[in-house]
Amino acid sequence: MKLVHGHLPIDAPAGVQGWDIDPYSPEVQADPVPYYAQLRERGPFSYLTRYSMLACGRYDVVREVFSDHERFVSSRGVGVQDFALEEPWRPHSIILEVDPPYHNRTRRVLMRALSPKAVADLRAYFLDEARDLVSDLVAQGEFEAVEALAETYPTRVFPKAVGMKLSDRRKLVDHGSMVFNALGPDNAQRQTAMAMGPEIIPWVMEQCKRENLTDDGIGAAIYASADEELVSEAEAGMLVRSLLSAGIDTTVTGIGNAVWTLSQNPEQFAALRADPSLAMGAFDETMRLTSPVAAFCRTACVDTEVAGIKIAEGTKILCVLGAANLDSAKFEEAERFDIKRKTAGHLALGVGVHMCVGQNIARAEGQAILTAIAEQVGVIEPAGDAVWRPNNAMHALESLPVRFG
Ligand code: OVM
């Protein structure tokens, strides 16, 4: 069987129109909102002719596919490649790229290590660091917020929380870029990211070892689960790798996008300043509006039907979370940024058994930085054009010149 982009080349199901758009092109990724709207308008599914796979963007459809792990599995990969048919670029993730019942075991270990209680112990530290960084940036006035804030903050506090003895902003961010770009086709951004592998992968794997972690961090909590024989020592190391894969680019992007949404909506920033306790709401609304993780795939493991469309076993389905989060059937005035909105039910962190296991710590980082900004910054003004960074799975900024006044 000849594969297309690493998966079975399925035909368009009855009732589904072909579409020649390339969702992985830098043009669409720089400005995805019109693509999201078209995807929803076209119907429950579109057939991506360039990739021989389905895509969905309506809230109800994305939610159904994403939350039904029995029909739509993650173990065949959450990118375009079908791991049942082609070897992945690295040993698969034992939390993201597996199904129940195995998934339940690794999920439990990470749930405990990243529990609300574990995160509560980090909050004061997160807020101190956020206040220090923001006060430096206020002193600077004008700066490029992707590097100086969005990348700097998580790469300072998260490795510390994990218990890494040594952080390296560039390596951690580039590693995230590899992991997320790997989910797409073999295009330029994937190739550029993959070329960094020899420099980055050995370093990351080294940092995951027990002897390179302090005995009081999240990493140590995961290794403690190995002592209790919930997982093996090798599995514990793989779960630390998952922290470093999923815990950097996501929060970097969420925080960068939050500074962007606030810089674009001065009246919303004024509301946040007036009441810094809205920081969590502002971060959640940024996640809903900008969907840092724009899309993940699932693979149908049975012949089935969704929204009246017959889907064949082996079909890759691109679930466009960014489109679902802007569906006006679910969210009133969906394209409006409103930090007081009820964001419950947004899909930026997924839904179902795989829903973001790091969300407590991710939210704590976002809340800390937005609280510090609300406390110390009078106005956030754009100081040049925001530029988006092409990425096969994320909607992330490349550069964001701003002024804190
Ligand atoms: C992992 C992982 C988990 C979530 C997201 C992610 C694609 C990776 O376990 O390595 O990025």
Side-chain angles (χ1 to χ4, degrees), residues 98-286:
V98 293
D99 304 318
Y102 177 85
H103 175 260
N104 303 338
R105 195 154 59 81
T106 50
R107 173 98 186 175
R108 195 167 305 134
V109 169
L110 283 185
M111 286 261 264
R112 192 169 75 170
L114 298 165
S115 68
K117 164 75 180 77
V119 171
D121 294 341
L122 292 165
R123 285 185 189 277
Y125 163 66
F126 282 1
L127 194 55
D128 280 350
E129 290 287 331
R131 285 175 172 147
D132 282 356
L133 177 60
V134 170
S135 95
D136 289 349
L137 295 172
V138 168
Q140 231 172 289
E142 201 170 301
F143 58 93
E144 196 286 285
V146 171
E147 182 172 327
L149 197 171
E151 292 183 354
T152 296
Y153 182 69
T155 56
R156 260 187 210 169
V157 301
F158 186 69
K160 250 306 217 299
V162 170
M164 290 171 70
K165 290 172 181 159
L166 155 98
S167 180
D168 182 322
R169 174 172 62 82
R170 200 68 261 147
K171 284 200 177 66
L172 289 168
V173 169
D174 287 347
H175 178 244
S177 173
M178 291 186 71
V179 168
F180 284 91
N181 276 307
L183 301 177
D186 191 25
N187 57 12
Q189 55 262 26
R190 189 180 195 276
Q191 288 168 11
T192 303
M194 287 300 154
M196 304 186 292
E199 225 195 301
I200 289 165
I201 299 301
W203 181 85
V204 167
M205 295 314 291
E206 186 65 23
Q207 309 316 310
C208 294
K209 291 181 179 167
R210 192 170 203 169
E211 66 264 29
N212 291 327
L213 295 164
T214 62
D215 59 12
D216 57 354
I218 297 167
I222 292 171
Y223 275 103
S225 292
D227 296 338
E228 294 173 44
E229 295 180 0
L230 295 172
V231 287
S232 70
E233 184 114 351
E235 287 173 317
M238 286 297 282
L239 291 175
V240 175
R241 190 194 73 172
S242 284
L243 294 181
L244 302 187
S245 301
I248 299 284
D249 260 35
T250 48
T251 47
V252 164
T253 303
I255 290 169
N257 291 6
V259 176
W260 179 75
T261 54
L262 292 169
S263 72
Q264 298 290 311
N265 296 273
E267 79 300 338
Q268 293 293 313
F269 180 57
L272 176 60
R273 272 190 63 207
D275 181 3
S277 76
L278 295 170
M280 192 60 259
F283 193 63
D284 243 296
E285 173 68 344
T286 295

